[in-house]
Amino acid sequence: TTAKLAPFLDKLQQNPSSVNPQEMFSVFLSSYTSSIPLLLICLVPTTYLYVNWQFLVPLIIDRKLGCWSALVTSWKIVHKHWFHIFGLVVLTGLINVAGFCMCCIGLLVTVPFTLLAICYAYEDIFGRKTA
């Protein structure tokens, strides 16, 4: 990416009026499209791990598990309900994006809603802890 951009940025810095916008757009587009396959390759395992470890923090807080025990427990339980939790993550993510699009003020509503949805899913899957 840098090798493609460096000569163009030098030219832009020396004489900004000599660069036309169409050339600028094509240079930036070609330099960043080369990284899209790597992004997509990394997105799949990252999403898989994020969904499997969705209940890591609630398990540490609620069940007072250590980090490794919570990782293993979350992995085992979520693996049984993976597509449901994936759907929850996608849906709450879209809701948070909508909140972000409302000048970030919407996040004051959507983030607590997301946390409530995750807490509800946690209690539904793991059951309530009786005192």
Side-chain angles (χ1 to χ4, degrees):
T1 303
T2 309
K4 292 179 181 179
L5 284 177
F8 179 75
L9 292 176
D10 287 339
K11 180 181 173 185
L12 183 64
Q13 193 172 22
Q14 290 172 1
N15 189 3
S17 62
S18 68
V19 177
N20 69 14
Q22 290 174 342
E23 179 188 5
M24 187 177 355
F25 179 73
S26 66
V27 168
F28 280 110
L29 185 66
S30 69
S31 65
Y32 288 112
T33 54
S34 62
S35 61
I36 289 176
L38 180 63
L39 174 71
L40 294 176
I41 289 170
C42 293
L43 190 65
V44 172
T46 302
T47 303
Y48 182 73
L49 292 174
Y50 179 74
V51 170
N52 277 334
W53 292 331
Q54 184 68 38
F55 299 120
L56 174 68
V57 174
L59 283 169
I60 290 173
I61 294 170
D62 185 39
R63 304 278 167 104
K64 296 179 180 36
L65 295 176
C67 185
W68 187 255
S69 300
L71 283 170
V72 171
T73 304
S74 180
W75 186 286
K76 286 180 181 178
I77 299 298
V78 169
H79 188 69
K80 297 175 187 174
H81 308 277
W82 196 87
F83 286 103
H84 292 103
I85 302 302
F86 176 71
L88 175 70
V89 167
V90 169
L91 184 63
T92 56
L94 290 173
I95 291 170
N96 284 334
V97 166
F100 178 79
C101 288
M102 291 186 271
C103 299
C104 297
I105 300 295
L107 289 174
L108 294 173
V109 174
T110 61
V111 169
F113 175 77
T114 299
L115 292 174
L116 285 173
I118 291 170
C119 289
Y120 182 80
Y122 172 80
E123 282 193 358
D124 190 43
I125 291 173
F126 288 91
R128 284 196 174 203
K129 186 178 173 185
T130 55

